[in-house]
Every structure is written in structure tokens, then in C-alpha cells.
Amino acid sequence: MGKDSALKTARHELIEQIEKTAELPIAILGVVWLVLLIIEMTSGLSGPLRILSAVIWAIFIVDFALRFVIAPDKKAYLKKEWLVGLSLFVPAI
């Protein structure tokens, strides 16, 4: 096995490990963020809840960026995760 192939395999394994570890916490944060979004659209968020929403969104961005940096094939990663990238970018607008 060549050096590049071993590195690619190690990166894939690291991404899988991150996904396995982060799956439940990210899902829970997703539900909390969705609830906060609904509250924001219906009655507005107080200062602390607005900060919480921004922190959760930042965690999603860091998670996405970390996986992107680790991904051995950036183009394939973006093809697979385009909806996640779009959903992180749109609220910024």
C-alpha cells in the first residue's frame, strides 16, 4: 500500500469515526436549533436564545469544515454533502 493510499484510508477512517461520535450530539443540536428557528419566526428570540442559536450554527459550521478539511477528495465530499453546505450558507444571507 502506497503512502498516498494509506493516508487516504486513514482520512476516511477518521471521518467515519467523527461521524459516529458526533452523530447523536449533532442530531440533538439540530432539533434544538430547529425549535429555536420556529420560536424566532413566530415570536422572536431573547438575547440568550439568539446567542445559543448562533453558537449551535457555529458548531455545525465547524463540524462541516473539519470534515471537509479531513476529506481526501474534497470534490466528492462537496458532491455528497452539498445540501449541508447550502443549509449552513443560506442562514448567513
Side-chain angles (χ1 to χ4, degrees), residues 25-38:
I26 291 293
I28 291 168
L29 287 176
V31 171
V32 171
W33 191 75
L34 181 60
V35 169
L36 290 172
L37 183 64
I38 291 168

Side-chain angles (χ1 to χ4, degrees), residues 21-62:
T21 304
E23 184 176 16
L24 182 60
I26 291 293
I28 291 168
L29 287 176
V31 171
V32 171
W33 191 75
L34 181 60
V35 169
L36 290 172
L37 183 64
I38 291 168
I39 293 170
E40 181 177 21
M41 291 182 162
T42 57
S43 60
L45 291 176
S46 65
L49 290 180
R50 186 168 303 191
I51 292 169
L52 177 61
S53 180
V55 168
I56 292 171
W57 185 50
I59 290 169
F60 291 154
I61 291 171
V62 168

